[in-house]
Amino acid sequence: CHLDLIDPSDGKTYLTGRNLDSVIVNASEPVECLFLNASQSNSGNCISADDIATAISKCKDSLQCLALNECKLDASMISAIASCSKLRGVIIDSCELWGKGDDRPTDAGLSEVLRSCSDLRWCFVKSSIFGTDCWNALADEGACPNLELLWVDAPLNTQDRIHTARGDHDTIRTALEHRANKLKLCMINPDEKNKSRYVVGGGKGTDRLNGTARAEW
C-alpha cells in the first residue's frame, strides 16, 4: 500500500470500502482504470472482498484495466470482473483466497472472465485458482481472441514433483499454440531465472509443463 495511503499515527490504511466507493461515485468521468493494493500483509488493512466487488460492479460498463494486489479475493469479485464488458487488462497478484463454499473463488469462476471479457488483451494471474477450467477456456479460440500477453504463475507442487502446470498439459499446449500469432509475451510458471516453463513454438527443452522431480531439485 502506498505510504500516502497509510495513517502514520496507527499504521492503518486509508483504503477503505467507504473511501473507494466515494472515489468511484464522485469521479468526474467514468472510471476506466482501477489499481488496488489492499496490503493484506499490513495488519492495518480494512477493505473487504465485498467492498472491492461492489466497487468493480459500479464501474463495470467503463472499466478497461484492473489490477488487484494483495487483496482478499472471493467469488463475488471474480463475478464482478467477468461482468466488465470493456475490460482489456487484468492483474491478480498475490491475493488471498477468501470465503467458504460457494463464496470461495474457483478455477471455473475465473474461466468465466476469459470467456466473458472478449476484448481482453493482457492477463496476469499469480494464483492457484488458474487451472483446468481456465486452460479449457483459452483452448476455445472464441475466448478473448485478442489476447497478447499471458502470464500465469500457478505451479502445482506435490510430494513427488514441483512446478508442475495445473490442468491437462495437452490442452495447455493447444491453447497456447493456437494463439502463437497473437501472443507477444507468454510466461507460464516462470523459473528462478524468470524463464517460461513453456515456450510457444519452442524446440527441445522448452516444454517443462511437467515440472521437476523433487529428487532433481
Side-chain angles (χ1 to χ4, degrees):
C1 195
H2 194 283
L3 291 178
D4 287 345
L5 290 176
I6 296 177
D7 187 336
S9 66
D10 57 15
K12 291 185 178 180
T13 175
Y14 295 126
L15 181 58
T16 64
R18 178 179 295 180
N19 289 343
L20 179 59
D21 182 74
S22 177
V23 168
I24 291 174
V25 171
N26 295 310
S28 58
E29 297 180 0
V31 176
E32 295 183 348
C33 298
L34 194 57
F35 301 90
L36 297 176
N37 184 334
S39 191
Q40 292 303 307
S41 57
N42 176 6
S43 59
N45 80 80
C46 50
I47 189 167
S48 70
D50 284 343
D51 291 331
I52 298 174
T54 299
I56 294 171
S57 295
K58 287 190 175 182
C59 48
K60 66 179 183 179
D61 295 328
S62 58
L63 197 64
Q64 296 184 30
C65 303
L66 174 67
L68 302 173
N69 185 265
E70 281 198 48
C71 296
K72 290 186 175 76
L73 185 69
D74 70 1
S76 66
M77 285 174 62
I78 298 296
S79 295
I81 297 171
S83 72
C84 297
S85 58
K86 295 182 179 179
L87 195 66
R88 301 185 68 169
V90 62
I91 294 174
I92 298 175
D93 186 4
S94 304
C95 290
E96 181 181 0
L97 303 186
W98 199 255
K100 296 180 180 180
D102 292 342
D103 293 329
R104 195 166 179 82
T106 64
D107 178 21
L110 186 59
S111 72
E112 288 305 309
V113 173
L114 300 174
R115 295 185 187 279
S116 301
C117 300
S118 58
D119 202 28
L120 200 66
R121 307 297 177 91
W122 45 272
C123 176
F124 178 110
V125 178
K126 186 176 182 180
S127 173
S128 61
I129 62 172
F130 197 108
T132 299
D133 290 317
C134 286
W135 287 116
N136 285 340
L138 288 178
D140 180 354
E141 295 182 32
C144 46
N146 298 314
L147 192 67
E148 297 180 348
L149 183 155
L150 179 65
W151 188 303
V152 178
D153 192 351
L156 175 64
N157 298 321
T158 66
Q159 185 175 352
D160 300 321
R161 303 192 70 79
I162 57 176
H163 308 308
T164 304
R166 298 172 188 270
D168 178 75
H169 293 177
D170 284 338
T171 301
I172 296 174
R173 296 180 186 106
T174 297
L176 296 177
E177 294 300 335
H178 282 177
R179 295 172 182 272
N181 293 331
K182 274 287 184 179
L183 284 174
K184 296 179 180 179
L185 191 157
C186 178
M187 183 71 75
I188 309 301
N189 296 336
D191 63 18
E192 65 281 357
K193 295 182 179 179
N194 221 27
K195 300 293 185 181
S196 178
R197 285 192 163 84
Y198 187 85
V199 177
V200 177
K204 185 178 180 180
T206 61
D207 183 342
R208 295 180 289 159
L209 295 177
N210 200 34
T212 308
R214 284 194 179 273
E216 299 173 14
W217 180 250

